Amino acid sequence: MKQLQMNRWMTMRVRFAPSPTGMLHVGNARTALISWLFTRAHNGHFILRIDDTDQERSKDEYEQAVEEGLSWLGIDWDEKRRQKDRFDIYNAKIEQLKNDGRLYPCYETPEELDLKRKSQLSRKLPPIYDREALELSDEQIKQYEVAGRNPHWRFKLNHAPIEWHDEVRGNVKFKGADLSDPVLIREDGSPLYHICSVIDDIEYGITHVVRGEDHVSNTACHIQMFEALGSKAPNFAHLPLLSDKEGGKLSKRIGSLSLAELQEEGLEPMSLVSLFARLGSSDPIEVFTDIKRVIAEFDLSKFSRGTPKFDAQELYRLNAKILHELCFGDVKSELAGLGLSDLDKDFWEVVKPNIEKLSDVKEWWDVAKGDVKPIIEDAEFIAEALELLPPTPWDENTWMSWANAVKEKTGRKGKKLFMPLRQAITGMDHGPELASLLLLIGADNVKARLQSHKAAA
Ligand code: GLU
């Protein structure tokens, strides 16, 4: 494993910083999971930071949904913080930056900025803010103020090289002059994400920031903000964003799938954990049923810059495999939640190889205990089979002796023998082993279903 840039006495401190402006979707969930696995693998301290400075769009119900989604995945946190509780702290640091000359007021409207950008692009120039506001005279500023325009404030980047070693991307280099001075304060005086995030990362002693690669150029600006506030920047790891299975942009439908929807679809959280713990790394995807094992084997240095392809079908395949490995005790309470509290261990063991989602169990429960519509095409054959049904009590050999007797009497074998019996007993043409199913369905039910041949005759 690559040497992490921290000394051995230091506790790793990592934060996951969602904005509660919507549901936690697949991409965020992946970032959360990787940050958390990374932290837990190093016995670190994990902070859930709610980035709710946008008071208009942030909602309590989203914050709650984020927490529920994380908990469902098995992610816990040692500390939770909210940005909206900290405006006084942000304002004090902002004053400091203003006094140090690192923030400057700008009066352009969004339309004026848009025009500037368009004109730069038409002249084949990069759309970098031209710092026109730095040239304003006191008189011009006064005129804007009199006209009722409030300034937004930009951070003055040093036009120097910016470099860092990224845990995922390797060495990353930017030139300060190639970046627009970021806006840190809105016209209404409220601080924006960049500065709040940097102040918090300093104050909470964050050692590693793990986030999506859409933040790479932000990081270049943040590094100078850390310095301007007298701190050393933490280590960074930027994860490539997920693409669809063909390598294209993740569709809105899939990309915006929320954890709550996946949960509702009946996915096991461990299917997401298994997939995201490995997708985009050099380790193969494996079925994990125990999150402690995922933590023990997690290694961020095996992740690379290559775009990981996300295939929702793969999730379902993993889900089925995970279910097939679970024992009754693991699913008992979830099954009870699906209204299947009478279901026992024997039933689970028989049907689990036939399910993809836990809720599929209900279908088999109805096949065994509910009103089944038998499929009977050859009523004569079924009548003969009914005659030969062995006496109770039944055991695991009942099916074999019955099938042999029917075979002898009718001369049928193979599929011609089994399929009509299965269809008559279950109303389906596939399913768990008939030897076990007979016992789950019970002699009375089996007889009643076979007797419905009379109606079919
Ligand atoms: N709230 C930001 C986001 O969701 C946080 C990014 C970061 O980790 O700094 O994109």
Side-chain angles (χ1 to χ4, degrees):
M1 185 173 167
K2 206 163 41 191
Q3 189 59 46
L4 293 173
Q5 293 183 13
M6 49 190 289
N7 66 46
R8 62 200 163 100
W9 296 282
M10 231 166 144
T11 301
M12 176 181 284
R13 293 174 66 89
V14 182
R15 85 301 192 277
F16 173 59
S19 307
T21 52
M23 303 295 275
L24 207 59
H25 56 70
V26 174
N28 299 142
R30 170 173 168 261
T31 307
L33 186 76
I34 292 177
S35 323
W36 180 81
L37 289 171
F38 176 58
T39 315
R40 292 292 178 242
H42 289 89
N43 295 319
H45 186 87
F46 192 68
I47 300 175
L48 173 62
R49 188 184 84 197
I50 304 294
D51 280 6
D52 50 6
T53 48
D54 185 341
Q55 302 218 36
E56 248 169 55
R57 290 174 57 227
S58 298
K59 300 236 164 10
D60 289 347
E61 62 257 38
Y62 290 136
E63 182 177 327
Q64 201 185 330
V66 164
E67 290 189 32
E68 284 169 3
L70 294 178
S71 304
W72 176 67
L73 280 177
I75 294 178
D76 60 353
W77 46 95
D78 305 301
E79 201 177 319
K80 179 185 162 191
R81 301 295 189 125
R82 276 196 199 86
Q83 289 194 322
K84 75 172 174 213
D85 300 336
R86 295 171 45 80
F87 283 112
D88 289 348
I89 293 165
Y90 303 141
N91 287 336
K93 295 288 176 194
I94 283 164
E95 268 324 294
Q96 180 189 329
L97 290 177
K98 283 182 182 169
N99 290 338
D100 293 345
R102 291 305 293 270
L103 287 175
Y104 61 97
C106 304
Y107 292 84
E108 296 94 340
T109 62
E111 295 74 29
E112 285 164 355
L113 287 173
D114 199 40
L115 264 182
K116 260 191 216 285
R117 259 193 303 270
K118 283 187 179 138
S119 129
Q120 285 167 316
L121 289 172
S122 71
R123 285 177 287 141
K124 304 229 174 329
L125 295 170
I128 298 168
Y129 178 62
D130 60 8
R131 293 188 162 175
E132 200 179 333
L134 280 178
E135 312 300 322
L136 292 175
S137 65
D138 290 350
E139 187 55 31
Q140 283 168 306
I141 290 180
K142 208 178 263 161
Q143 276 172 11
Y144 278 130
E145 302 275 341
V146 170
R149 276 207 202 182
N150 287 327
H152 55 273
W153 295 73
R154 287 186 190 262
F155 179 73
K156 192 165 172 236
L157 289 169
N158 289 329
H159 285 180
I162 306 167
E163 289 186 32
W164 75 91
H165 177 79
D166 196 285
E167 304 289 345
V168 174
R169 300 170 72 83
N171 288 336
V172 184
K173 289 185 188 162
F174 274 87
K175 283 192 210 132
D178 291 344
L179 297 163
S180 282
D181 291 338
V183 177
L184 300 195
I185 303 162
R186 297 187 187 88
E187 279 76 8
D188 66 4
S190 59
L192 278 153
Y193 154 73
H194 302 287
I195 189 63
C196 303
S197 179
V198 169
I199 292 171
D200 286 349
D201 286 343
I202 295 172
E203 201 164 303
Y204 304 154
I206 298 301
T207 58
H208 294 76
V209 170
V210 181
R211 57 187 172 198
E213 69 182 4
D214 47 336
H215 284 287
V216 171
S217 60
N218 286 340
T219 295
C221 300
H222 292 185
I223 285 177
Q224 288 204 2
M225 291 178 213
F226 280 102
E227 284 161 7
L229 290 168
S231 281
K232 198 176 157 299
N235 299 295
F236 291 96
H238 291 91
L239 299 166
L241 305 184
L242 299 174
S243 75
D244 68 11
K245 66 178 197 292
E246 276 87 36
K249 198 169 171 315
L250 208 58
S251 77
K252 244 199 154 145
R253 196 183 61 78
I254 302 277
S256 63
L257 266 183
S258 70
L259 286 191
E261 284 167 305
L262 292 171
Q263 186 177 1
E264 235 163 69
E265 287 217 7
L267 274 177
E268 294 300 305
M270 284 308 289
S271 60
L272 279 153
V273 172
S274 300
L275 183 65
F276 289 149
R278 293 288 174 82
L279 187 69
S281 82
S282 54
D283 281 330
I285 290 166
E286 246 184 83
V287 172
F288 287 101
T289 53
D290 177 4
I291 206 154
K292 291 200 201 84
R293 245 194 77 216
V294 186
I295 296 172
E297 294 186 20
F298 185 81
D299 186 350
L300 187 68
S301 71
K302 293 194 169 165
F303 282 72
S304 63
R305 293 185 61 163
T307 307
K309 294 184 176 145
F310 174 69
D311 176 4
Q313 286 314 314
E314 192 157 13
L315 263 186
Y316 290 102
R317 283 194 290 275
L318 280 168
N319 200 57
K321 288 189 189 158
I322 285 168
L323 286 171
H324 302 168
E325 289 197 12
L326 296 181
C327 58
F328 182 59
D330 299 327
V331 289
K332 193 167 179 240
S333 62
E334 260 186 277
L335 288 171
L338 292 169
L340 299 170
S341 38
D342 290 340
L343 197 148
D344 63 9
K345 182 170 177 297
D346 288 345
F347 195 100
W348 170 248
E349 292 301 332
V350 170
V351 302
K352 77 175 179 187
N354 287 79
I355 59 170
E356 278 196 333
K357 294 181 289 185
L358 195 63
S359 56
D360 296 344
V361 174
K362 196 156 173 10
E363 201 178 306
W364 294 112
W365 180 255
D366 291 340
V367 165
K369 311 289 179 194
D371 279 336
V372 159
K373 209 172 159 329
I375 302 172
I376 297 179
E377 279 166 8
D378 184 344
E380 210 175 299
F381 171 69
I382 296 300
E384 279 179 310
L386 175 62
E387 291 289 305
L388 295 165
L389 210 53
T392 49
W394 285 358
D395 59 27
E396 57 280 5
N397 299 317
T398 301
W399 161 250
M400 249 356 219
S401 45
W402 184 40
N404 282 334
V406 178
K407 181 175 165 190
E408 217 160 275
K409 176 91 192 287
T410 63
R412 292 199 189 204
K413 51 184 182 182
K415 204 173 164 196
K416 282 210 161 70
L417 170 71
F418 303 133
M419 189 54 93
L421 294 177
R422 178 182 286 284
Q423 289 177 329
I425 293 169
T426 66
M428 316 261 290
D429 52 16
H430 68 278
E433 300 263 347
L434 275 170
S436 314
L437 262 187
L438 277 192
L439 304 182
L440 296 182
I441 297 173
D444 290 345
N445 253 343
V446 170
K447 261 184 219 153
R449 292 175 189 180
L450 292 172
Q451 266 160 357
S452 65
H453 76 87
K454 289 176 190 148

